[in-house]
Amino acid sequence: MQLTPQQQALLDGAQGETMAKVVKTLVMYGDTFGAQRMVPVTSEYGHTVISFGLAVMKPVYDLYDRLIEAGLTSGQKFTADPRPLDKNVPTSLLEDIVFRKIMYTQQARYEEQLRKLGITADNGYTCTCYLEQVGNQPRKGDILSWAESSAVVYANSVLGARCNRNSGMLELMGSIAGFVPEFGLLTDEGRKAHWLIEVKCQSRPEPQLLGSAIGMKVMEDVPYVRGLDTWLGTELNDENCAYLKDFGAATASNGAVGLYHIENLTPEAREQGEALLHEGYQTYVIDDAELERVKRSYPVIWKDPAARPELCFVGCPHLTLEQLHQWTEKLHDALRQQNRLQVAVPTVFTAAPAVLDAFKDTVEGYKLQSMGVILSYICPLMYMNNPLCKKKTVITNSNKLRTYTSARYYTDAEILDILSGKEGH
């Protein structure tokens, strides 16, 4: 790798031993993937995927202490993934003891470290840092040092920024150093598609289900999706961005997609069209039957597959303000049709703290909460990591949460039927 004189000086210890180790780590990372040089991080803010103070991760927090002691806290400010705990989310006494006395015993220590390292604000905890209310939205062409898979794929695809799927520690090191190795999705060649996805459904496909099918087929490759603009059109409005958020999260978690192109919609696809297809690309046709096949393939790992749901999570990734409004109206209508006032299953909707602040005290916010829905800022995945919670019959509309936990996936329409107590659900 060819370093600039300034980068070489840092590697040689010009700003101390700790900074030299940070740069050495980035160089080794780049060498592993054949990077020829470093490129500057140009986004205003960074983002860290590590937001939880798990006791088993003490070596990570010890390393953060070393970074702080070395004074490496004046680099790029950053947001962080959602907090793991919220007293408003239902737990049993034993579950709460496991959360607070065994699992997340380092939470207070870690959040203090994040303040010293440069988190943007005390409410800067969300996986959807790119939303307007949060304020960490990169510009087209920005180079990022992020790791959160759903945020990386959104920034690359919808915003046209450039970021590889980094690890949790490397992301922070890139923000501290101010540069990252250039390879993969940071390059023009790395952003070309090796798959053409032909969407031939009869109605708008469920984003979480479509993303799952594509992710499992292409894995880490870049897909170019044709036919989705039939339902989404050619404008990146709030509704379409929410759709692509959930779609992308499923491609990234059910596979390892870091970038997708939607023909006639996402920035690079609008500019370059079929020129984005790599020579020798493969084709995958998705119709309604294929989506149903994919859905049937999901394992149900509950002890009793016929058991009634005990808890429902909606919002993984975190919901947008637009989605909160849509869910409020849909849930209200579904409950009214069943002559119910409140949800039939304890339900948690999760969103960024800043989004919740903009919603919860509005008429719609009071309306949703009056239906028995709990609004929370937590990460549902961190909740489900509790061994006791894994035994719960939890349902979700999130393919990401389904993939990483014992939660059972249902489409939005099925979730509405279950929450409204519709017969047969």
Side-chain angles (χ1 to χ4, degrees):
M1 185 183 297
Q2 298 298 312
L3 300 180
T4 66
Q6 294 80 6
Q7 293 164 354
Q8 186 64 51
L10 293 177
L11 183 60
D12 293 340
Q15 287 190 21
E17 179 184 4
T18 302
M19 177 60 94
K21 289 182 176 180
V22 167
V23 176
K24 182 179 180 180
T25 302
L26 292 170
V27 169
M28 294 172 66
Y29 176 41
D31 283 344
T32 301
F33 290 95
Q36 298 298 305
R37 63 172 183 166
M38 297 288 183
V39 289
V41 173
T42 60
S43 61
E44 184 176 1
Y45 299 113
H47 182 82
T48 179
V49 71
I50 303 175
S51 60
F52 39 88
L54 279 172
V56 296
M57 291 178 60
K58 282 186 178 180
V60 171
Y61 314 130
D62 291 343
L63 177 55
Y64 283 154
D65 277 340
R66 293 175 63 183
L67 294 172
I68 293 168
E69 290 165 5
L72 302 183
T73 60
S74 59
Q76 191 181 41
K77 288 188 176 296
F78 56 88
T79 49
D81 259 22
R83 288 181 166 110
L85 299 172
D86 180 357
K87 60 182 176 59
N88 296 313
V89 176
T91 57
S92 68
L93 176 60
L94 285 178
E95 289 166 356
D96 199 49
I97 289 173
V98 171
F99 275 132
R100 299 181 184 277
K101 301 297 184 181
I102 300 175
M103 291 181 66
Y104 299 115
T105 58
Q106 299 292 303
Q107 193 65 29
R109 173 193 179 188
Y110 181 53
E111 291 194 19
E112 178 60 28
Q113 289 179 319
L114 292 183
R115 281 189 283 272
K116 292 178 179 178
L117 286 166
I119 193 167
T120 56
D122 190 51
N123 69 346
Y125 291 85
T126 175
C127 51
T128 54
C129 58
Y130 44 80
L131 295 180
E132 177 186 354
Q133 294 81 9
V134 183
N136 185 1
Q137 187 172 90
R139 299 157 300 192
K140 186 175 182 295
D142 269 347
I143 303 297
L144 317 181
S145 184
W146 292 7
E148 162 56 45
S149 64
S150 67
V152 166
V153 72
Y154 186 94
N156 275 322
S157 311
V158 181
L159 303 179
R162 297 198 168 198
C163 185
N164 281 315
R165 285 173 55 108
N166 304 300
S167 76
M169 291 300 298
L170 284 167
E171 59 179 9
L172 186 61
M173 292 183 180
S175 287
I176 288 173
F179 50 80
V180 289
E182 185 185 43
F183 68 91
L185 298 177
L186 270 58
T187 68
D188 291 343
E189 183 66 20
R191 297 177 76 82
K192 288 189 175 181
H194 285 79
W195 284 87
L196 171 63
I197 311 298
E198 295 273 12
V199 179
K200 296 186 176 181
C201 301
Q202 296 303 305
S203 59
R204 190 182 84 161
E206 195 85 2
Q208 297 270 3
L209 197 51
L210 179 64
S212 170
I214 293 172
M216 289 193 287
K217 174 64 73 171
V218 311
M219 296 309 290
E220 77 279 5
D221 286 339
V222 176
Y224 182 94
V225 184
R226 174 176 292 158
L228 195 53
D229 56 325
T230 301
W231 299 280
L232 303 188
T234 59
E235 180 186 353
L236 284 173
N237 54 32
D238 288 346
E239 184 176 359
N240 283 343
C241 286
Y243 182 101
L244 295 178
K245 166 184 70 75
D246 293 337
F247 164 81
T251 69
S253 57
N254 287 204
V257 175
L259 164 68
Y260 57 80
H261 302 293
I262 309 296
E263 191 169 65
N264 298 321
L265 184 60
T266 53
E268 287 161 276
R270 287 174 64 95
E271 293 172 1
Q272 302 177 52
E274 292 183 2
L276 286 167
L277 286 167
H278 199 280
E279 184 179 352
Y281 65 84
Q282 300 180 72
T283 300
Y284 176 36
V285 177
I286 297 180
D287 56 16
D288 295 318
E290 174 64 1
L291 289 182
E292 183 59 31
R293 182 197 67 78
V294 169
K295 185 169 181 282
R296 287 198 307 267
S297 74
Y298 300 155
V300 178
I301 55 179
W302 293 355
K303 185 175 181 180
D304 176 10
R308 289 186 56 80
E310 298 175 63
L311 183 64
C312 174
F313 274 115
V314 174
C316 178
H318 276 169
L319 295 169
T320 67
L321 189 58
E322 169 84 9
Q323 287 178 308
L324 283 170
H325 284 291
Q326 289 180 350
W327 270 101
T328 300
E329 291 308 309
K330 290 178 181 178
L331 187 56
H332 177 264
D333 291 344
L335 289 173
R336 185 170 56 185
Q337 290 173 16
Q338 301 303 316
N339 295 314
R340 295 183 64 96
L341 295 176
Q342 293 200 321
V343 291
V345 176
T347 301
V348 180
F349 281 15
T350 63
V355 171
L356 293 177
D357 288 343
F359 175 76
K360 62 185 178 182
D361 292 331
T362 65
V363 172
E364 290 290 286
Y366 287 122
K367 185 177 181 180
L368 182 61
Q369 293 172 88
S370 72
M371 292 183 272
V373 173
I374 296 167
L375 296 174
S376 177
Y377 49 75
I378 68 163
C379 172
L381 198 156
M382 293 298 103
Y383 177 96
M384 292 297 294
N385 274 349
N386 187 324
L388 297 177
C389 293
K390 288 180 179 179
K391 299 178 182 179
K392 281 185 173 180
T393 51
V394 176
I395 61 173
T396 184
N397 69 332
S398 167
N399 237 313
K400 180 173 185 176
L401 190 61
R402 174 201 69 82
T403 302
Y404 294 140
T405 73
S406 59
R408 187 172 180 175
Y409 171 81
Y410 288 96
T411 65
D412 287 359
E414 290 169 334
I415 290 287
L416 285 170
D417 285 345
I418 294 169
L419 296 186
S420 65
K422 188 174 182 180
E423 188 176 353
H425 292 272

